[in-house]
Amino acid sequence: MIKILAIDLDGTLLDSNEDISKENINAVHYAIKKGVNVILCTGRPYSMAKYCAKKLNIQNDKTIIITNNGSMIQYLKDASIVLRNGLDKTDVMYWKEKCAKVDIPITLVDSNYCYEPLEYVSQYESQYSKRSSTRELKMIEFENISSNEIFDKIVICTEQELLDLKTTQLVNNNDTKNYYIVRSEPVLLEILNNKANKWNALKYIANQAGVHDYEIMSIGDQMNDYEMIKHSNVGIAMGNAVNDLKIIADYVTDTNINDGVAKAIYKFI
């Protein structure tokens, strides 16, 4: 019996217009009536998860969401933090130096803002702030960051061909051990605390609730969903998912524009 259902947002619950279909809304409520705890699980910040929860009408005092690719678990009612695994100034300066060496842009991200350096480290412009409608851009001196300041992730957002070329130059084996590094979109590389991914956050919530892995179902479409799709008892890849996710999924549902979430819910719950 499924007790927890984790649903990604972009490319999964949301259609190409960033809306939620009536069929998906009805299916989510069907799952809730069956006693399933539905958890929105996204790389986006709190504001976007709250928007989707409001569209779904699933808000209550106990509703928990997973944001920023698992670096944060928050209560939906007030954004208060249940768990946070972030990056500090040491991490920032390490990656700023690495990005400068390979000539690629760097952006810092927290729940409210994205930050770019006043003195740019690359000839290439970061595209992240132009893509992020939920975070305001601030230009700062990375060297002046406080030692106790925490960021949710570091992102490198640029043209796909450039990112393909630079990633192999940028990331070494030690980096993949010390950080969670994921290509969440073709144009977006994300660097997080090594404890921060969607599955680890989901597992924390499940442990607190006494829910076993075999009682968890998850649905997603990109590589930042990989761990939760792989480890959930029922891991569902969207029809529009990347191929590497489809390979390890238990089932491939329909696409995000054809109510794939709803179809998966009715099939397995």
Side-chain angles (χ1 to χ4, degrees):
M1 176 182 175
I2 300 299
K3 293 184 178 180
I4 289 179
L5 169 61
I7 308 176
D8 171 56
L9 299 184
D10 294 288
T12 301
L13 183 65
L14 299 175
D15 62 23
S16 55
N17 295 315
E18 294 194 349
D19 201 2
I20 306 173
S21 70
K22 182 178 180 180
E23 288 77 9
N24 281 346
I25 292 172
N26 290 340
V28 166
H29 282 275
Y30 166 83
I32 292 171
K33 288 178 182 178
K34 289 279 191 176
V36 176
N37 180 12
V38 175
I39 299 174
L40 301 183
C41 193
T42 179
R44 300 257 212 145
Y46 167 83
S47 57
M48 187 61 180
K50 184 176 182 179
Y51 164 80
C52 292
K54 185 176 181 180
K55 292 277 290 186
L56 290 168
N57 192 25
I58 61 170
Q59 302 175 87
N60 63 58
D61 288 346
K62 295 182 179 180
T63 303
I64 289 178
I65 55 176
I66 295 171
T67 59
N68 294 308
N69 273 336
S71 68
M72 294 182 73
I73 302 173
Q74 298 174 268
Y75 279 108
L76 181 63
K77 62 179 180 179
D78 58 6
S80 58
I81 298 171
V82 177
L83 182 70
R84 188 180 194 185
N85 289 306
L87 302 171
D88 61 17
K89 183 177 181 179
T90 302
D91 301 309
V92 170
M93 299 310 295
Y94 172 76
W95 283 101
K96 181 189 176 185
E97 182 179 349
K98 285 178 70 75
C99 288
K101 284 182 178 178
V102 301
D103 190 20
I104 198 166
I106 181 173
T107 305
L108 311 182
V109 177
D110 64 20
S111 291
N112 300 308
Y113 302 99
C114 53
Y115 307 84
E116 294 178 12
L118 281 172
E119 294 186 4
Y120 224 70
V121 301
S122 172
Q123 64 175 310
Y124 303 104
E125 182 182 5
S126 172
Q127 299 177 3
Y128 188 77
S129 63
K130 297 176 181 178
R131 293 167 51 86
S132 178
S133 60
T134 53
R135 293 182 175 98
E136 180 184 343
L137 174 64
K138 286 188 174 184
M139 306 299 291
I140 64 171
E141 289 280 6
F142 283 16
E143 288 78 4
N144 294 336
I145 293 170
S146 168
S147 59
N148 60 4
E149 193 165 357
I150 300 297
F151 299 92
D152 295 310
K153 55 187 176 181
I154 294 168
V155 300
I156 298 162
C157 186
T158 188
E159 298 293 336
Q160 182 177 349
E161 295 79 9
L162 179 65
L163 194 54
D164 289 342
L165 173 66
K166 297 291 187 177
T167 298
T168 55
Q169 301 172 21
L170 179 71
V171 178
N172 60 42
N173 289 337
N174 284 333
D175 293 331
T176 58
K177 294 176 183 177
N178 295 328
Y179 297 92
Y180 174 60
I181 302 174
V182 61
R183 189 82 171 261
S184 56
E185 296 181 34
V187 298
L188 186 61
L189 183 74
E190 304 196 27
I191 301 161
L192 298 94
N193 184 296
N194 64 2
K195 296 179 181 178
N197 65 54
K198 291 183 180 183
W199 173 249
N200 285 346
L202 191 56
K203 183 71 173 172
Y204 177 89
I205 295 170
N207 287 342
Q208 295 297 306
V211 174
H212 302 286
D213 293 2
Y214 60 81
E215 297 171 311
I216 300 174
M217 173 176 164
S218 60
I219 312 175
D221 73 304
Q222 290 290 337
M223 291 305 292
N224 58 337
D225 302 311
Y226 186 93
E227 289 81 8
M228 74 173 186
I229 299 298
K230 181 178 180 179
H231 295 294
S232 296
N233 183 44
V234 182
I236 308 295
M238 298 297 293
N240 52 283
V242 295
N243 286 333
D244 285 349
L245 201 66
K246 291 179 179 179
I247 290 170
I248 57 98
D250 298 297
Y251 181 77
V252 178
T253 187
D254 212 330
T255 66
N256 65 317
I257 61 173
N258 288 317
D259 307 315
V261 167
K263 292 172 182 176
I265 288 173
Y266 290 131
K267 181 173 180 65
F268 291 98
I269 295 176

